[in-house]
Amino acid sequence: MKSVLEADDREGVAFLRCETRSLKGGAPVYWLCDIVRRLDVIDEEKSIVEVLDDGTDFRRYDNMTTSGYAFREEAIGSAHIFRPRFLEQWIIYDQAMKDACKAAGVRGLNFGYAYGNYKGLHP
């Protein structure tokens, strides 16, 4: 998965090698991954969204209410994977990223349904 994510969008991800040990020797290599690109992509005028803590450093969107998000495509640019500002618990990816993961046989991912006008969202 590391090689797929780095090949498809190196600027959007960061990895940290984990220290692993095995009593039998030859411990496997594991990596922690973070989606580090944060983009201000939510078009609030076109979205159905409730803003919480507006005007503070803790501004966020209420995920407990029915929401519909419209994204500003120009803010996404050529990014294949990112976290939207104020919804940073979500990871957004495009069809190219999804296809690359599937083609490489990456397992254990849950590709969610696209909400709004962007093709890939997984809370």
Side-chain angles (χ1 to χ4, degrees):
M1 181 171 180
K2 179 180 183 291
S3 61
V4 171
L5 293 177
E6 286 180 329
D8 212 41
D9 194 348
R10 182 176 295 277
E11 300 298 316
V13 295
F15 289 91
L16 178 65
R17 186 177 176 146
C18 299
E19 181 181 330
T20 57
R21 299 178 190 153
S22 172
L23 295 175
K24 298 177 185 178
V29 175
Y30 291 105
W31 297 87
L32 289 177
C33 175
D34 190 14
I35 309 307
V36 295
R37 180 184 289 118
R38 272 48 174 187
L39 298 177
D40 189 3
V41 297
I42 305 297
D43 185 337
E44 290 182 356
E45 290 181 14
K46 294 180 182 175
S47 297
I48 301 168
V49 62
E50 183 177 338
V51 179
L52 302 174
D53 303 315
D54 194 15
T56 73
D57 291 339
F58 305 102
R59 178 187 170 99
R60 58 197 164 87
Y61 298 128
D62 186 357
N63 284 324
M64 301 304 288
T65 62
T66 301
S67 302
Y69 299 99
F71 299 138
R72 297 180 299 107
E73 294 288 332
E74 70 278 3
I76 297 168
S78 63
H80 293 290
I81 193 166
F82 62 90
R83 294 179 185 272
R85 187 172 178 216
F86 308 126
L87 284 172
E88 294 184 15
Q89 69 275 19
W90 287 7
I91 297 171
I92 309 290
Y93 55 87
D94 65 4
Q95 189 66 44
M97 180 66 75
K98 180 179 177 180
D99 292 345
C101 289
K102 287 190 172 195
V106 174
R107 297 174 29 182
L109 298 178
N110 180 15
F111 294 105
Y113 177 74
Y115 297 91
N117 61 0
Y118 199 65
K119 299 183 175 50
L121 174 126
H122 185 263

